Amino acid sequence: KPQLAAPEGKSTRYYPNLNFIRLVLALSVTFSHSFALLGLMDPITYLFPTDTLGSIAVKSFFFISGYLIAQSWIKTQNIICFSLARFLRIWPALFAALVLTVTLAYFSVAGRVPLARFAPDGFAYFLFNLNLFHGVTHLIGSAYQDQASAGVNGSLWTLPWEVRCYTVLLLIGMLGILNRRHTFNLFALLSIAGIVYFRHANVFAENKEVPLMLLAFVAGSTVKVNEERYSLGLILVFAIIGTVLGY
């Protein structure tokens, strides 16, 4: 059940169970990736041939993110506060994860590859992935080359798309669209139409999960913008139907 607070005269909804939901989703991604690393099929795929437990969890993450990021802008209405909150949400944890990844990768080749030869590859991996505006890489030189999969931190690929979503939402927030329900709903409909069109035009052929993640983010933002006027449950039903139609 949502809890309401009203800072500066504005009502804001807080859902205290969201952290638990996000923990379950994160564990679902880890569970799903364990099958991929072993060369096995995710059990969910037997029921939904085009999906895995991890991909379902990722789309759920984007739905929640769309809701919370829209709420963040509506609450702050400040470019610096919004941008700083997004930075602190992603980059400190990413920095720590990349340092740990490079350290573990070095230990995986220690004794076979001198530190002087490994260090440039590790540093290049760290710097490339710290900048999320151009994609990510999953390879660190010669690390893990004797494994079935040499890639590391496979989940990082979603972060550049999340940052792009944040950027678009910031831009429409600056234009005042997030504060005008009807205008935002029109923008959301056009966004959904564009995403579905580009998906069927094979623009996302390299990764067919991307348009579904974007649809989920738009759906989450739409729920936030409309929740004060319509039943949240009803909006969720239509949001889920819209996301499923994106398949």
Side-chain angles (χ1 to χ4, degrees):
K1 181 178 179 180
Q3 296 178 351
L4 299 181
E8 299 179 2
K10 297 179 181 178
S11 76
T12 305
R13 291 174 185 255
Y14 296 95
Y15 293 85
N17 291 327
L18 275 182
N19 284 335
F20 174 73
I21 293 173
R22 286 189 286 200
L23 174 62
V24 171
L25 294 177
L27 292 175
S28 298
V29 171
T30 303
F31 177 78
S32 180
H33 283 188
S34 69
F35 287 90
L37 291 173
L38 294 173
L40 301 175
M41 185 179 291
D42 187 313
I44 291 294
T45 306
Y46 291 104
L47 296 175
F48 305 101
T50 61
D51 245 325
T52 65
L53 183 61
S55 66
I56 293 172
V58 167
K59 289 189 280 288
S60 301
F61 267 125
F62 269 74
F63 180 89
I64 293 172
S65 182
Y67 179 93
L68 294 178
I69 302 309
Q71 176 173 273
S72 177
W73 174 263
I74 292 170
K75 179 181 176 182
T76 62
Q77 304 280 322
N78 184 287
I79 298 171
I80 295 176
C81 291
F82 178 88
S83 301
L84 182 61
R86 304 288 69 74
F87 176 85
L88 294 175
R89 183 78 177 178
I90 292 181
W91 271 274
L94 176 63
F95 182 96
L98 293 177
V99 169
L100 179 61
T101 299
V102 172
T103 302
L104 293 176
Y106 172 68
F107 282 120
S108 77
V109 297
R112 294 187 291 112
V113 179
L115 178 60
R117 186 149 64 92
F118 174 82
D121 291 332
F123 192 61
Y125 168 87
F126 174 82
L127 285 183
F128 189 90
N129 284 343
L130 200 60
N131 177 5
L132 295 175
F133 293 95
H134 54 43
V136 298
T137 180
H138 301 295
L139 301 176
I140 312 178
S142 58
Y144 307 112
Q145 292 296 326
D146 57 343
Q147 303 295 318
S149 174
V152 296
N153 274 349
S155 299
L156 292 184
W157 74 269
T158 64
L159 288 181
W161 288 103
E162 184 136 3
V163 170
R164 290 162 190 155
C165 289
Y166 293 171
T167 304
V168 171
L169 196 141
L170 172 60
L171 291 175
I172 66 172
M174 292 167 58
L175 292 172
I177 294 175
L178 273 171
N179 298 97
R180 301 184 181 97
R181 184 171 55 83
H182 294 299
T183 304
F184 175 83
N185 288 342
L186 177 59
F187 174 83
L189 285 174
L190 292 174
S191 298
I192 292 170
I195 293 168
V196 172
Y197 171 78
F198 286 122
R199 177 175 182 267
H200 290 291
N202 287 324
V203 172
F204 300 104
E206 292 184 3
N207 193 331
K208 295 184 177 180
E209 283 298 304
V210 171
L212 302 178
M213 288 157 35
L214 299 180
L215 286 171
F217 189 91
V218 173
S221 301
T222 304
V223 167
K224 176 57 195 175
V225 172
N226 289 277
E227 69 177 354
E228 297 298 333
R229 184 170 179 83
Y230 299 114
S231 162
L232 180 58
L234 183 61
I235 295 173
L236 281 172
V237 169
F238 279 103
I240 293 170
I241 291 173
T243 303
V244 171
L245 286 177
Y247 280 88

